[in-house]
Amino acid sequence: TRARANAAAFQFVGISDTNWLGGALPFSLAGLGAPACSLLVSSEVVLGFATNATGSVTSNLVIPTTSTLLGARLHEQFFVLDAAANSLGATTSNAVRILIGT
């Protein structure tokens, strides 16, 4: 919610909130032109969406029903394109941590 209306949005789904591609998380995007934004999760999967007219997006992540995933953790964060936000032209959401049923 509260993102730019009708904007491209990307959901990062990862297995870590401490490292990605050999680097530490969180990773500040200030050096790229987004001083108040950070990458908070690894991004093994990236899903594309568009925000609606009020700047919201809803995502349903389907988790397979297999006992091998019990106790697994996933981390998610959104990245939204917004040319007016900063010189990078993007904003980030907070992250969420998901624990698959136990």
Side-chain angles (χ1 to χ4, degrees):
T1 62
R2 298 186 306 175
R4 184 173 185 87
N6 305 308
F10 302 92
Q11 181 182 20
F12 295 166
V13 182
I15 57 174
S16 179
D17 63 354
T18 58
N19 62 69
W20 181 57
L21 297 177
L25 293 173
F27 177 78
S28 173
L29 299 177
L32 299 174
C37 299
S38 293
L39 180 62
L40 303 172
V41 304
S42 61
S43 57
E44 282 75 23
V45 175
V46 179
L47 304 170
F49 296 91
T51 62
N52 64 21
T54 63
S56 296
V57 66
T58 300
S59 168
N60 294 311
L61 186 62
V62 177
I63 307 295
T65 54
T66 175
S67 61
T68 58
L69 293 176
L70 286 175
R73 294 182 191 275
L74 293 176
H75 308 274
E76 297 182 333
Q77 178 181 21
F78 271 89
F79 184 92
V80 180
L81 299 184
D82 184 348
N86 49 48
S87 61
L88 179 61
T91 59
T92 58
S93 71
N94 292 327
V96 296
R97 181 179 298 138
I98 299 168
L99 173 62
I100 298 176
T102 55

